[in-house]
Amino acid sequence: MNSIQVDKNSIAKSIRLTGSSIKTKPKNGKYLLWALSIGTFAFIFSLLQLNIDYTKIVSGTSEFVAMFAKMFPPDASDWLSVVDSAVLTFQMTWVGTLSAAIFSYVIAFFGASNITPNPVIKVAVRGFGALMRAIPVMVWGIIFVAAVGLGPMPGVMALTVHSMGMLTKVFSDSIEEIDNGVIEALKAAGANKIQIITRGVIPATFTSSLSWFLLRLDIDLRYSTLLGMVGAGGIGWELVYSMRNYNLNRALFVTLIIFTMLFTLEIINNSIKRKIIKV
């Protein structure tokens, strides 16, 4: 009889819990409806405020198709110069992203609440990261071109500074997300701060940090192409040079090289990430 009574109580409790969860669903649906309504209103209002001339979209599309047709066939006669610029672009990307990753990983320990020696230092590090990524990479490129002149150096500096804004944040977040039991166990074993970081934090965050680094490398390769357009050299400059001279066939070839670079890096990144997951 006692077991039956317990079962009845369990069933009654489940019914009450189910009923309470069902009652909360209309509230969630109500919030979703409000969000959808506000989003739709903002979209329509923005379209009206922008005063978009839709006739230009039609005429512009036809002009784009005509210009795109003139790009064929791609002109690969100067392929060696384009490939050299592509290699320069990748080198600029690699140096800038790797430098940013090293600096960011070091200061990320000061931006993580579970490791930082002082909350004020955490706020300062987080604020530094927010400032670095708030300024667009193109603006950083223009600033450094004006400061040090044309060439790959301002491109590397712009990528490093802008990448630090993102990587500092994600590395700090990764450190904060590790199990506090690992840190407490090392403290109980008498480990000092350096030992906690080297034996606990770094092994626990290595996989996630590597994934963020690969993502940022992919992003910076795209950014480095844009930085070439403001004087940082590389394949971006080759594209601007071709477009300014209305050499559309060469511009198409440069675009294909850029696509090949980005797609190849994406394949490599995905392969590395799959291997990391299996480990």
Side-chain angles (χ1 to χ4, degrees), residues 187-237:
K187 286 182 179 179
N192 56 34
K193 204 74 170 180
I194 301 299
Q195 291 172 331
I196 291 173
I197 292 174
T198 55
R199 299 183 182 181
V201 177
I202 292 179
T205 59
F206 177 77
T207 301
S208 61
S209 298
L210 181 59
S211 297
W212 283 117
F213 169 74
L214 293 175
L215 174 62
R216 188 64 206 189
L217 186 66
D218 182 84
I219 294 172
D220 282 347
L221 184 58
R222 304 169 197 272
Y223 279 156
S224 63
T225 302
L226 297 176
L227 288 171
M229 299 179 182
V230 296
I235 200 167
W237 171 251

Side-chain angles (χ1 to χ4, degrees), residues 133-211:
R133 65 178 180 271
I135 302 175
V137 69
M138 292 290 284
V139 176
W140 282 120
I142 294 171
I143 292 173
F144 287 124
V145 165
V148 301
L150 301 175
M153 184 176 179
V156 171
M157 296 171 67
L159 290 174
T160 301
V161 171
H162 192 263
S163 297
M164 286 181 66
M166 171 187 166
L167 293 178
T168 299
K169 178 184 184 307
V170 296
F171 287 168
S172 297
D173 290 343
S174 298
I175 295 172
E176 287 182 342
E177 291 170 1
I178 66 175
D179 187 5
N180 286 330
V182 176
I183 298 177
E184 295 300 327
L186 289 171
K187 286 182 179 179
N192 56 34
K193 204 74 170 180
I194 301 299
Q195 291 172 331
I196 291 173
I197 292 174
T198 55
R199 299 183 182 181
V201 177
I202 292 179
T205 59
F206 177 77
T207 301
S208 61
S209 298
L210 181 59
S211 297

